[in-house]
Amino acid sequence: MHHLLRLAIVALAAGVLATPAFGDMAPDNSLPTETPAHFVPTDTGFDYVRRTVEIPMRDGVKLHTVILVPKGSTHAGILLTRTPYGADGMGHRNDSPHLDSTLRGYDNPADVVVQDGYIRVIQDIRGKHGSEGDFVMNRPPIGHGNPTGIDESSDIYDTIDWLVKHVPESNGKVGIIGISYDGFEAMVATIRPHPALKVAVPINPMIDGWMGDDWFHRGAFRQQMIPYIYGMVNSRGSDIGWSTGHRDDYDLYLKGGSAGDIGRAYGMEALGFWQKILAHPAYDSFWSDQALDKVAANEPMTVPTMLVHSLWDQEDNYGDMAVYRALAPRDPNHEKLWLVLGPWRHAKTWEKGNTIGAIDLGSNTATTFRQTILRPFLARYLKDDAPRAGIAPVNAFVTGANTWRQLDTWPSACRTGCAPTMQRWFVGADGTLGTTAPATGEDAYVSDPAKPVPYRVRPIQSWSHGVADREDSWPEWLVDDQRQFATRTDVLTYVSPVLIQPMGIAGEPLVHLLASTSGTDSDWVVKLIDVYPDEVEAEPSMGGYQLPIAMEIFRGRYREGYATPKALVPGKAQAYRFPLPTVNHVFLPGHRVMVQVQSSWFPLYDRNPQTFVPNIFNAKPGDYKKATQKVFRGGADGTWLELPVVK
């Protein structure tokens, strides 16, 4: 046996030694490559034609643009979206030759495009993905913090000018639509617009990044947007991902220290926009000059515009309503401005919209919006000889009642513009809440930056996670049950008696908080909540559910003005006045009204050290200290919420 094995080894070795070395092998020219130098796929079976072009701007920069033309189109309107998220991905799917399937996904109203035969155009904005030039986050309009000769508006103008001259299937009419950043593009398009721009639909647009959209809310920094900033700015293709090694963002940000420390740990000092964030923690001219509601208020209104607002928008629940407040008084005859309020999270409009979180909305609300509001609105301006759409100036979904209302103005208690009645709801002793001013008193709690109040039940996943299940449901956190937070000793809870009659509210609830802190700075979080009956026969899982209706944070250092922070006086009762986000809700009989007050909302917002420092991004570990917080009640000068009540 050993002998045979030995022979086998020798034979094997001989064979190996007899094999010529790789470098000695003669080239094999008999088998040429089977891959062509350049393969052009056909469009056999496709119901549309795809064109990819590089459109030149006035300064010579070329922008990567995808044009999808339904086969057989003539005199078709163009529907444009500009995006930093990749035009190729938004306008292409390899597994379908049909335009409807190709467009399914983020920021594509696929059903409306296909039904009405629009030419769909998607373009990478300057400096992102396939487009040349330099990327600037939310590039400000010319003259508003932008001293150059180009901005997003000029790029849109040049793009539209090229499209109407080089897309022969079009009728020369262009509309622009987009969500979030793409919604910012749709809004900025209305500033110095091209004559061929006939309609704009900004949905959940980024308008004012400091006051209440992506980066800050009333001075508190939204630190869970750090990964977004990181990914958007670190490369043209946004292809360097964020990684943490933590399952729970609460741990990541608590261990990381200040938001500035976290940025430094990830090398973000190399990112230009991050440096701007660090340099402008207050609402100085850097922010106020470029806020699009302020810019638009001083521009002619020439483009019919439909603002679309989501009542539970977890990213941009401020800007579109700010634009509406700025522009509505200038359009008394309802010729240029429309408003839609839907029961959605951010970017929910292209889905069915029959639920949000655990809440059943009673119908496919987003489908209704697309088919009965958006579709005729676009057709009126993009189709040849289209009839007037007959759409109400304001279409507002009423949460709680699960119905749509058609109104002339917002906020309104009736079709012709009846103003809501502002009604004060006072916090009282023993956690009560009511419409009668109670006796004076105070409630106290200790706010500890080492143990901040979470804004979700832990583990808290990253902002980027989807809605496949509860654990990955970040986009719908604004409807999370608030019961877990009401049990914390650093959260004050006030609740009304059971309602006998329905109570509708429409507009912005106003907070009047009289409070003190033992520190020299403080955050204040106020939540308005609809408490369901303890038992809900039709939906047992909703028994006792605490549904947030409107919630907001306010950074105390800006009590006297957003531009200049000032230290708070320890132990001094001071008034804080700020609005909650827009609501359109009915508290049903059997429900109760609840208000919660706390001093942290973590890790969505960075921790206030509760010691005044010039710039919280640079706060040191020793600056973070416990503070005793007091909320004062009683009389007209106590703590109350003013609710815009409608009948």
Side-chain angles (χ1 to χ4, degrees):
M1 176 66 73
H2 291 287
H3 177 68
L4 293 174
L5 179 59
R6 191 187 217 172
L7 288 175
I9 293 173
V10 171
L12 178 61
V16 170
L17 293 174
T19 303
F22 180 78
D24 296 332
M25 295 179 65
D28 184 358
N29 294 323
S30 62
L31 294 175
T33 179
E34 296 179 348
T35 304
H38 181 65
F39 178 74
V40 179
T42 69
D43 60 0
T44 301
F46 280 62
D47 58 15
Y48 68 96
V49 175
R50 176 188 175 89
R51 301 172 191 154
T52 301
V53 297
E54 314 304 318
I55 299 180
M57 301 292 104
R58 62 191 64 182
D59 62 348
V61 166
K62 295 180 179 179
L63 302 187
H64 183 69
T65 309
V66 176
I67 304 173
L68 305 173
V69 183
K71 284 187 175 179
S73 293
T74 60
H75 301 285
I78 295 174
L79 192 59
L80 168 67
T81 292
R82 303 185 74 247
T83 183
Y85 302 124
D88 286 331
M90 287 175 59
H92 184 64
R93 275 185 55 181
N94 290 321
D95 60 348
S96 177
H98 302 298
L99 186 56
D100 179 78
S101 297
T102 295
L103 290 176
R104 293 292 177 187
Y106 182 83
D107 223 347
N108 269 315
D111 49 353
V112 175
V113 171
V114 172
Q115 287 166 340
D116 288 333
Y118 296 124
I119 298 168
R120 187 72 171 113
V121 178
I122 307 170
Q123 182 181 72
D124 289 329
I125 64 171
R126 183 178 290 254
K128 292 304 294 182
H129 297 276
S131 286
E132 299 174 349
D134 298 322
F135 173 66
V136 176
M137 185 81 77
N138 298 120
R139 185 184 292 267
I142 296 169
H144 300 275
N146 179 357
T148 74
I150 57 96
D151 60 7
E152 300 298 330
S153 180
S154 70
D155 283 351
I156 296 167
Y157 188 105
D158 295 348
T159 296
I160 292 175
D161 196 64
W162 189 96
L163 289 171
V164 297
K165 293 175 180 176
H166 294 87
V167 181
E169 298 89 346
S170 83
N171 60 5
K173 298 178 181 180
V174 180
I176 188 167
I177 192 169
I179 297 173
S180 195
Y181 202 120
D182 304 355
F184 161 80
E185 295 288 329
M187 187 64 221
V188 82
T190 66
I191 299 170
R192 300 184 301 276
H194 192 284
L197 182 65
K198 302 302 182 183
V199 65
V201 183
I203 302 173
N204 311 146
M206 303 164 77
I207 298 295
D208 189 327
W210 193 94
M211 195 61 71
D213 285 330
D214 289 88
W215 319 125
F216 296 83
H217 271 223
R218 307 284 171 178
F221 176 62
R222 288 168 60 86
Q223 70 178 354
Q224 268 196 304
M225 294 302 292
I226 289 178
Y228 176 87
I229 297 171
Y230 180 87
M232 279 286 286
V233 186
N234 64 31
S235 62
R236 183 178 297 270
S238 299
D239 49 10
I240 303 174
W242 174 267
S243 59
T244 70
H246 287 82
R247 174 173 167 76
D248 190 344
D249 265 8
Y250 190 99
D251 292 329
L252 167 69
Y253 290 99
L254 190 62
K255 294 175 182 177
S258 70
D261 287 337
I262 294 167
R264 285 183 280 273
Y266 279 82
M268 291 179 65
E269 60 272 14
L271 307 181
F273 183 67
W274 180 243
Q275 290 301 317
K276 293 174 183 177
I277 289 278
L278 298 180
H280 300 281
Y283 197 61
D284 57 18
S285 59
F286 172 79
W287 296 110
S288 60
D289 282 357
Q290 64 179 287
L292 282 187
D293 58 316
K294 297 178 177 63
V295 176
N298 294 305
E299 294 286 337
M301 293 178 65
T302 60
V303 180
T305 300
M306 176 177 282
L307 297 164
V308 182
H309 174 78
S310 295
L311 291 165
W312 282 295
D313 189 326
Q314 79 284 1
E315 294 180 34
D316 297 301
N317 66 6
Y318 172 84
D320 44 20
M321 298 307 302
V323 171
Y324 181 81
R325 288 190 294 271
L327 298 186
R330 297 171 53 198
D331 186 39
N333 296 324
H334 313 300
E335 296 173 333
K336 297 296 182 184
L337 188 65
W338 286 258
L339 175 66
V340 176
L341 297 98
W344 310 308
R345 58 167 170 80
H346 191 75
K348 183 79 170 181
T349 41
W350 304 151
E351 302 176 19
K352 291 181 179 179
N354 57 320
T355 63
I356 179 168
I359 311 304
D360 185 348
L361 298 172
S363 64
N364 292 345
T365 61
T367 303
T368 297
F369 158 68
R370 293 195 307 277
Q371 292 298 314
T372 67
I373 301 172
L374 177 64
R375 186 181 175 194
F377 181 73
L378 290 177
R380 171 68 181 88
Y381 298 102
L382 295 182
K383 284 180 166 290
D384 294 337
D385 303 319
R388 292 190 63 85
I391 297 170
V394 177
N395 286 270
F397 189 88
V398 184
T399 59
N402 288 352
T403 187
W404 287 94
R405 298 184 71 197
Q406 286 73 45
L407 307 167
D408 285 343
T409 61
W410 179 264
S412 179
C414 65
R415 175 65 195 255
T416 56
C418 312
T421 300
M422 300 305 291
Q423 185 179 86
R424 292 183 180 181
W425 285 69
F426 299 88
V427 303
D430 302 319
T432 58
L433 182 72
T435 56
T436 301
T440 58
E442 63 185 50
D443 298 308
Y445 61 94
V446 174
S447 174
D448 185 357
K451 299 177 182 178
V453 181
Y455 79 101
R456 299 202 74 189
V457 174
R458 298 176 62 186
I460 297 172
Q461 297 293 283
S462 170
W463 67 273
S464 61
H465 281 249
V467 292
D469 52 45
R470 192 347 254 144
E471 188 173 280
D472 291 342
S473 61
W474 184 86
E476 298 184 349
W477 74 267
L478 275 178
V479 296
D480 282 356
D481 193 337
Q482 299 296 295
R483 274 180 287 200
Q484 294 295 325
F485 313 112
T487 63
R488 287 185 59 119
T489 58
D490 51 359
V491 176
L492 296 178
T493 300
Y494 304 92
V495 63
S496 75
V498 173
L499 297 179
I500 305 302
Q501 301 292 331
M503 182 182 73
I505 55 175
E508 284 187 328
L510 300 176
V511 173
H512 181 280
L513 175 68
L514 187 65
S516 71
T517 176
S518 62
T520 51
D521 198 2
S522 178
D523 286 349
W524 303 102
V525 179
V526 177
K527 307 174 184 177
L528 174 64
I529 298 166
D530 182 345
V531 182
Y532 280 56
D534 292 333
E535 287 187 307
V536 179
E537 184 176 351
E539 296 179 90
S541 63
M542 296 302 295
Y545 199 95
Q546 294 182 7
L547 173 66
I549 304 304
M551 307 187 286
E552 190 57 284
I553 189 170
F554 182 91
R555 185 141 284 177
R557 60 176 49 210
Y558 299 112
R559 191 186 72 86
E560 297 182 26
Y562 292 124
T564 305
K566 292 185 179 180
L568 304 179
V569 179
K572 181 180 179 180
Q574 295 180 293
Y576 301 86
R577 297 178 177 88
F578 56 96
L580 298 183
T582 294
V583 300
N584 193 31
H585 184 73
V586 172
F587 292 85
L588 297 174
H591 291 227
R592 293 178 291 166
V593 182
M594 176 182 283
V595 171
Q596 291 181 0
V597 180
Q598 60 199 56
S599 292
S600 53
W601 218 11
F602 190 77
L604 179 63
Y605 295 94
D606 65 333
R607 294 174 299 152
N608 192 317
Q610 302 180 156
T611 302
F612 183 86
V613 294
N615 188 333
I616 292 178
F617 288 113
N618 298 322
K620 301 295 186 287
D623 297 326
Y624 292 86
K625 296 178 180 179
K626 293 180 181 180
T628 298
Q629 317 287 70
K630 293 183 179 180
V631 171
F632 297 91
R633 42 187 163 76
D637 294 328
T639 296
W640 41 264
L641 255 66
E642 199 167 35
L643 300 183
V645 177
V646 298
K647 298 298 183 181

